[in-house]
Amino acid sequence: MKRDKSISWLILLILSAVWGSSFILMKRGLEAYSSGEVAALRTGMAFLFLSPLHLRNKTIDFKKYWKGLFLMGIFGNLIPAFLFTAAETRISSSLAGMLNALTPIFTVIVTFLWMKIRPSGIKVSGVIIGFLAALALILFDTGTSTFENLSYGFLVLLATVCYAISINAIKKYLSDLPSVTATLWAFTLTGPTALVYLFAGTDFTTHVAAGGEALSALGYVAILAVVGTALSVILYNVLIKKAGVLFASSCTYLIPVVAVIWGLADGENVNLPQVLSIVTIILSVYLINRD
């Protein structure tokens, strides 16, 4: 029992480190590629890495699961990938990582609007506090103008809304489908589209042929796709089975911390009002999960 608990904690820390590092990896990819190229590479490479698992997975009932897989693939992977990279062309990776903590807050809202599950007073309080803290987080950022902070920060907020839609879709349509299988088929639906866009709709081949910085940036995106997207989902599934959903959701508290550490190490500015804002967001998420 003690050994299982230690393994669960180890997996939690690994996942938090990996997902918290994804924002700096996107930033590195953007040094040589456009935001669309980085997003398409991330999705396409994750698909190619997971594809061999089809040899070990049985055919699923698409008539039963197609809606959930479509929503998971589009809103859980494809659209957020493009929104985050577009946002990071103007805002810092640390700010993007901190705003990502809003996902549980939007999950409560989407659950209410879609599933008609009315939140408790504590959850409503958590949502309101979280939104106010997010606004302060954006307004106190000194990296760019207030207008750009709001505009590109809003892209991250849209990405968290997409995650919230995906989470609810998984609960509604894919609850009896193993998460690894669901992830595999979700990327099967979106990965080919991302690859077609990458090679037919961008200058990726021209950029990668330049070598040098383009190759190192490609390596960072490959790590993002394979470790930060494909393998981490499988590891997250293991954590849920070992320790339960509540323990696994603790990643929400640690991811922005890792993102901020990477941002500071890369010379990004994180001021005291922002630190207080992200602490407030984490506390609001705690209120939501505690109820």
Side-chain angles (χ1 to χ4, degrees):
M1 182 67 71
K2 186 176 180 180
R3 182 173 178 272
D4 286 344
K5 189 174 182 179
S6 298
I7 292 175
S8 296
W9 272 104
L10 178 61
I11 294 174
L12 177 71
L13 293 174
I14 291 173
L15 282 173
S16 300
V18 168
W19 281 336
S21 302
S22 64
F23 305 97
I24 194 69
L25 290 173
M26 283 185 270
K27 181 179 180 179
R28 289 288 174 266
L30 290 169
E31 292 175 353
Y33 302 102
S34 69
S35 62
E37 288 169 346
V38 174
L41 272 169
R42 178 182 185 177
T43 307
M45 293 174 79
F47 158 67
L48 293 175
F49 179 81
L50 289 169
S51 291
L53 292 178
H54 277 299
L55 299 175
R56 298 184 60 184
N57 278 265
K58 298 179 180 179
T59 303
I60 61 173
D61 184 358
F62 267 104
K63 187 176 181 181
K64 178 181 179 182
Y65 296 117
W66 75 268
K67 188 179 293 185
L69 292 173
F70 176 80
L71 292 173
M72 179 182 175
I74 296 297
F75 291 100
N77 301 304
L78 191 63
I79 295 178
F82 282 87
L83 289 174
F84 271 111
T85 52
E88 285 200 37
T89 60
R90 289 294 184 273
I91 65 174
S92 65
S93 64
S94 54
L95 178 57
M98 288 186 283
L99 289 172
N100 182 67
L102 292 171
T103 299
I105 295 174
F106 280 111
T107 300
V108 172
I109 297 173
V110 172
T111 300
F112 170 64
L113 295 176
W114 185 6
M115 306 299 176
K116 307 302 180 184
I117 299 176
R118 186 178 296 277
S120 66
I122 292 179
K123 278 187 167 60
V124 172
S125 298
V127 168
I128 295 173
I129 293 171
F131 273 131
L132 292 175
L135 181 60
L137 191 63
I138 294 172
L139 293 177
F140 281 109
D141 186 73
T142 57
T144 55
S145 68
T146 301
F147 176 77
E148 284 193 331
N149 288 342
L150 288 171
S151 300
Y152 288 89
F154 183 69
L155 295 179
V156 178
L157 265 63
L158 285 179
T160 60
V161 172
C162 288
Y163 285 148
I165 293 173
S166 175
I167 290 169
N168 277 277
I170 291 170
K171 290 180 180 178
K172 184 176 178 64
Y173 301 113
L174 305 175
S175 59
D176 60 337
L177 190 67
S179 62
V180 174
T181 302
T183 301
L184 171 62
W185 283 100
F187 273 106
T188 300
L189 292 176
T190 58
T193 301
L195 291 174
V196 169
Y197 167 76
L198 179 67
F199 289 102
T202 73
D203 295 321
F204 167 69
T205 52
T206 302
H207 291 155
V208 75
E213 188 179 62
L215 292 179
S216 61
L218 183 62
Y220 287 120
V221 179
I223 295 172
L224 175 65
V226 175
V227 180
T229 304
L231 288 178
S232 59
V233 171
I234 296 174
L235 200 58
Y236 190 64
N237 181 56
V238 173
L239 182 61
I240 290 175
K241 289 183 177 179
K242 277 185 170 293
V245 175
L246 186 60
F247 182 83
S249 68
S250 300
C251 287
T252 305
Y253 309 109
L254 300 175
I255 289 172
V257 176
V258 175
V260 168
I261 291 173
W262 274 115
L264 291 172
D266 200 48
E268 295 178 0
N269 181 45
V270 179
N271 52 47
L272 181 58
Q274 287 185 301
V275 173
L276 294 176
S277 297
I278 188 57
V279 169
T280 304
I281 290 175
I282 291 173
L283 288 174
S284 70
V285 172
Y286 173 74
L287 285 176
I288 290 171
N289 288 336
R290 183 171 178 269
D291 183 41

